[in-house]
Amino acid sequence: MRLTLKPFLPRSLFGRAALILIVPIVAIQLVVSVAFIQRHFEGVTRQLTRGLVFELELMRKAIAEAPNAQAAAEHAMALAGAFGMEVVLPVPDASDLVDAQAWNDLTGSIVTRALRDGMSGVIAVDLRSVAGMAVLTAETAHGPMQVSVPRVRVSASNPHQLFVIMILASVLMTLISYAFLRNQLRPIKKLADAAEAFGKGETVPYRPRGALEVRAAGAAFLDMRSRIDRAIETRTRMLSGISHDLRTPLTRLRLGLSMMPDDEEAAALLSDVLEMERLVDEFLAFARGDAMEEPVEVDLTLLARRIVENVARGGREISLSLPQEATAPVRLRPQAVSRAVENLVNNALRHARHVALTLIFSDRSVRFVVEDDGPGIPEAQRDAAMAPFARLDEARNPNRGGGVGLGLSIASDVARSHGGNLTLGRSEALGGLKADLRLAR
């Protein structure tokens, strides 16, 4: 199994751009800290320690030239006062002393190493016991000597100051870059939101902003949206004219048939005229789609109950399953969604005895699931069944209650216009067809 960092990387453009910005800054911080700053402080510490070693050797030489221990102590005190040190000579018990330094002392090991390398007879270097002091214990001609020196004499003053300044400056520059990056990515986010809303059938205000490339993409999107809107408007206007032209002769035929004697021939002709009107209405509903309807907030549980009530008024019954918890309204085109669900329900009622309608909510979508106990649709023909004017049953006669093959196509178009899709499968509960109409929230 190959290990990869892809699951741990951010998915959004903003997160990836921020990662591209932050990683080089952190890498530069580490490289500069290790390769330059740390070495600089180590060099300064060694240089200061060598100066201290020179003073301590001078003090040990004066002690060695003293005739007795008292004179040696006096010479040591005099030199210690001149060098700014504190000295104890002799040390009562120096056998138990060891080197000591704090865990966070970055230069302590360098001080200890430089003192031991520069002097002979060093017993212990204590950098922890006395705050702000370096305590050195070393052998002399008149016994162990303990010297206390201010820590600033052997280490660079405020060794962490440069680190803090650099980190603060890096944080400040990162925040500035973050604000600038967010400002540059905001137009891309707005373009994505406008495109997503248009995919759901909504038109939100959008104006191209940002860099030249983003402006060009935004202008192209606006041109595309305008062309699509004009195409839908032109098609709708054309079909409205066709509807008017077709309905006029059909109305004349109905009036003429109503004046004829009531016989079987006239009734058959009138039935044909009514069927023609129904087919024209179905074709126009498919061609018009939901372009003329504005999205509104809809309670889908009420919409589902209304569909079931309409079916019940027609003398048929279907089972309805709704979420137990209260659901928030969803913004969509209610007439288009009702038409799509009713088409699925009517198709199921035409070929089955038992039909079930289920409403399912999720975080990002809402689903109308229509199941039946009919013969279903073979898996190889399900995609073709959603094509316009597709009628899988060639023996079906439109004049005897059949359609023209637009029910599933209308439902599929409505689902796509709401950012979803329509999928066909086999019902596990009833054994027939399962139509899953998914709409984006």
Side-chain angles (χ1 to χ4, degrees), residues 39-270:
R39 292 184 181 181
H40 170 73
F41 280 119
E42 290 179 0
V44 172
T45 300
R46 291 192 186 95
Q47 185 175 359
L48 293 175
T49 306
R50 283 196 294 267
L52 177 63
V53 169
F54 176 78
E55 295 174 357
L56 293 176
E57 289 292 356
L58 184 61
M59 186 180 298
R60 284 209 302 186
K61 183 178 179 181
I63 292 174
E65 295 176 350
N68 52 50
Q70 183 176 359
E74 292 175 357
H75 288 312
M77 290 292 184
L79 290 174
F83 294 152
M85 306 176 185
E86 296 178 3
V87 63
V88 176
L89 181 67
V91 178
D93 187 8
S95 59
D96 296 334
L97 299 178
V98 294
D99 295 341
Q101 68 181 61
W103 64 271
N104 58 347
D105 191 345
L106 300 179
T107 58
S109 59
I110 301 174
V111 172
T112 301
R113 192 182 312 116
L115 289 174
R116 288 191 172 276
D117 293 342
M119 293 180 60
S120 60
V122 175
I123 299 175
V125 179
D126 187 357
L127 304 176
R128 184 179 59 187
S129 299
V130 182
M133 301 292 288
V135 181
L136 170 70
T137 305
E139 295 288 353
T140 67
H142 294 280
M145 172 185 65
Q146 189 175 74
V147 180
S148 299
V149 184
R151 181 62 187 270
V152 295
R153 291 279 308 275
V154 294
S155 298
S157 178
N158 299 325
H160 307 297
Q161 185 175 3
L162 185 56
F163 286 101
V164 174
I165 293 176
M166 186 174 64
I167 291 175
L168 292 179
S170 299
V171 170
L172 177 61
M173 295 305 298
T174 302
L175 293 177
I176 295 174
S177 301
Y178 176 85
F180 178 77
L181 180 63
R182 185 174 183 178
N183 185 55
Q184 293 300 311
L185 294 180
R186 186 180 293 113
I188 301 178
K189 182 65 167 58
K190 289 185 176 295
L191 175 59
D193 293 340
E196 183 180 4
F198 187 65
K200 296 178 181 179
E202 302 180 21
T203 301
V204 299
Y206 171 74
R207 186 177 67 179
R209 293 181 178 179
L212 292 177
E213 294 80 2
V214 181
R215 288 176 181 267
F221 166 74
L222 290 179
D223 292 341
M224 179 195 69
R225 188 171 70 176
S226 299
R227 288 195 296 269
I228 294 176
D229 289 339
R230 285 197 300 270
I232 294 175
E233 183 180 357
T234 301
R235 185 183 70 171
T236 304
R237 188 181 298 112
M238 178 188 67
L239 293 173
S240 297
I242 294 176
S243 173
H244 180 270
D245 295 340
L246 289 176
R247 290 180 187 279
T248 300
L250 289 175
T251 302
R252 288 199 299 265
L253 287 173
R254 290 185 61 185
L255 290 175
L257 291 172
S258 64
M259 303 298 294
M260 294 177 62
D262 294 336
D263 53 13
E264 294 183 359
E265 184 177 356
L269 291 175
L270 183 60

Side-chain angles (χ1 to χ4, degrees), residues 205-404:
Y206 171 74
R207 186 177 67 179
R209 293 181 178 179
L212 292 177
E213 294 80 2
V214 181
R215 288 176 181 267
F221 166 74
L222 290 179
D223 292 341
M224 179 195 69
R225 188 171 70 176
S226 299
R227 288 195 296 269
I228 294 176
D229 289 339
R230 285 197 300 270
I232 294 175
E233 183 180 357
T234 301
R235 185 183 70 171
T236 304
R237 188 181 298 112
M238 178 188 67
L239 293 173
S240 297
I242 294 176
S243 173
H244 180 270
D245 295 340
L246 289 176
R247 290 180 187 279
T248 300
L250 289 175
T251 302
R252 288 199 299 265
L253 287 173
R254 290 185 61 185
L255 290 175
L257 291 172
S258 64
M259 303 298 294
M260 294 177 62
D262 294 336
D263 53 13
E264 294 183 359
E265 184 177 356
L269 291 175
L270 183 60
S271 175
D272 289 340
V273 171
L274 295 177
E275 184 65 22
M276 290 175 63
E277 289 183 343
R278 185 181 68 84
L279 296 180
V280 168
D281 291 339
E282 189 172 351
F283 170 73
L284 292 177
F286 165 73
R288 183 174 61 250
D290 55 355
M292 306 303 294
E293 187 182 3
E294 293 295 329
V296 295
E297 298 288 337
V298 180
D299 187 348
L300 293 184
T301 57
L302 296 179
L303 187 145
R305 289 193 178 98
R306 186 161 53 248
I307 293 174
V308 173
E309 292 173 358
N310 293 338
V311 173
R313 283 197 295 269
R316 300 292 298 272
E317 291 185 1
I318 63 174
S319 61
L320 176 63
S321 177
L322 298 175
Q324 297 181 354
E325 300 179 355
T327 57
V330 180
R331 186 174 180 83
L332 46 76
R333 294 179 171 87
Q335 294 181 8
V337 174
S338 296
R339 182 165 61 248
V341 178
E342 286 175 355
N343 285 342
L344 297 178
V345 170
N346 291 332
N347 285 342
L349 291 173
R350 189 177 296 121
H351 300 94
R353 293 181 301 174
H354 299 91
V355 179
L357 173 61
T358 305
L359 180 61
I360 303 174
F361 281 85
S362 63
D363 294 337
R364 300 178 61 89
S365 65
V366 58
R367 297 164 53 198
F368 289 90
V369 181
V370 179
E371 300 177 271
D372 60 59
D373 60 350
I377 298 177
E379 184 176 358
Q381 298 181 354
R382 288 170 186 170
D383 292 337
M386 290 187 288
F389 307 104
R391 288 189 295 148
L392 302 181
D393 186 4
E394 297 180 357
R396 185 185 304 166
N397 187 352
N399 294 326
R400 296 182 179 178
V404 294

